[in-house]
Amino acid sequence: MNAPVTLDAAMVADVERRASAALAAATTTDELRAAEAETLGKRGELTGLNARVGGLDPPARKDAGALLNAARARLRALHDARAAELDAAAGAERVAAERLDLSEVLPGPVRGSLNLVTQTRDALEDTFIGMGFVVAEGPEVESDWHNFEALNMPPAHPARSGFDTLYLDWGEPESALLRTHTSPVQVRLMLEQPPPIYAVMPGRVYRKDTPDARHTPSFSQIEGLVVDHGITFGDLAGTIDTFTRAYFGPNISARLRPGYFPFTEPSAEFEITCTICEGLGCRTCSGTGWVELGGCGMVHPNVFEAVGVDPEEWTGFAFGFGIDRLAQMRFAIPDMRVLADNDLRFITQF
Ligand code: 2NL
């Protein structure tokens, strides 16, 4: 007669203790896989104990089965936790091994910085946000309607030729273009939401220009738009003045002189104290003490009609100027082309 089959809690605890130690001792995923086979696998001690359950007296079977299942569940959890730990460690090691130190590509302690135009744009946005404006953006590829027609420039309008537009070979001839100014963003804003509007629109614009010291075929612009009840030319002048002092400091002021734009009436050009000589007169300002920065005016009723804003109820003003030109003035840069040249001798100064 065979010896009676026994299986008590102490035996299960003993096997579980050895199995836990084996799983915890694994230091690589391969070692863990081996420990798993040894402890939880078909040939493992725990499975050996399982085989004995069938030989127990029926009343003892249920208790023994429960003990073994609980032990197996705890060991499985231990195994899974260890596997996650080892996976994370292996991942971190792989990242460390594949790390590429790009700073070695540059000579010396150079770390890189934002382009001067981007820095200038950021500072302008900050200034206008401080004055209560929001910042809006829009597409660089535009329709003829958003770029010209809605802005009171129908197809044959003479002002269009002054923009030297770059057209895209897309759809009807001359229907898609690279925006020549950021005004179409203002058109989109007015179409999207009812007044009041206090917003600035910075962004890249395109003109078919031959590069020289003062022109590049792509440059950045910022325009502003205010639409509300009872807005007057006085509000426009005050806004230009406040902005100029906030951005350039107390030694620089602004003045307006009559101008013409198809999308504003009346229109004005705005000039600021020459930042090079602070108004004394120099070569940059041709001895006048003033340099032109941009243009502005009261939004033309035809523009309001085009975008569905009632010109009897609302009035507004708009202004625009070149960001590159502004940076050129603030940092006394003789040739605009250096802004896009990637010459370290220039870039590392800012
Ligand atoms: C300049 C002059 C200007 C505007 C831009 C504008 C936009 C709308 C309606 C009316 Cl939607 N006006 N924009 C107005 C006057 C001047 O820019 O010299 N920019 C570089």
Side-chain angles (χ1 to χ4, degrees), residues 107-122:
V110 178
R111 278 292 178 272
S113 60
L114 296 175
N115 182 279
L116 189 56
V117 175
T118 308
Q119 291 183 39
T120 307
R121 173 181 160 163
D122 288 350

Side-chain angles (χ1 to χ4, degrees), residues 151 181 183-184 186-187 190 207 219 221-225 261 263-264 267-268 292-300 303 317-322:
L151 289 156
H181 46 188
S183 311
Q186 317 190 351
V187 168
M190 286 190 282
R207 308 257 174 107
F219 59 99
Q221 210 181 42
I222 187 163
E223 283 192 46
L225 175 70
F261 300 105
F263 25 85
T264 44
S267 304
E292 192 185 321
L293 194 60
C296 57
M298 301 306 288
V299 178
H300 198 292
V303 176
F317 63 80
F319 56 86
F321 49 88

Side-chain angles (χ1 to χ4, degrees), residues 147-183:
N147 194 81
F148 288 125
E149 203 153 345
L151 289 156
N152 200 29
M153 285 180 279
H157 199 285
R160 281 190 179 211
S161 55
F163 279 106
D164 297 314
T165 310
L166 289 158
Y167 288 97
L168 281 98
D169 185 5
W170 190 13
E172 293 290 305
E174 306 203 341
S175 63
L177 46 83
L178 292 177
R179 67 181 182 194
T180 58
H181 46 188
T182 49
S183 311

Side-chain angles (χ1 to χ4, degrees), residues 282-319:
C282 67
R283 254 182 53 209
T284 302
C285 59
S286 315
T288 63
W290 296 93
V291 285
E292 192 185 321
L293 194 60
C296 57
M298 301 306 288
V299 178
H300 198 292
N302 289 356
V303 176
F304 278 149
E305 300 272 13
V307 296
V309 171
D310 180 1
E312 296 296 328
E313 180 179 357
W314 305 96
T315 52
F317 63 80
F319 56 86

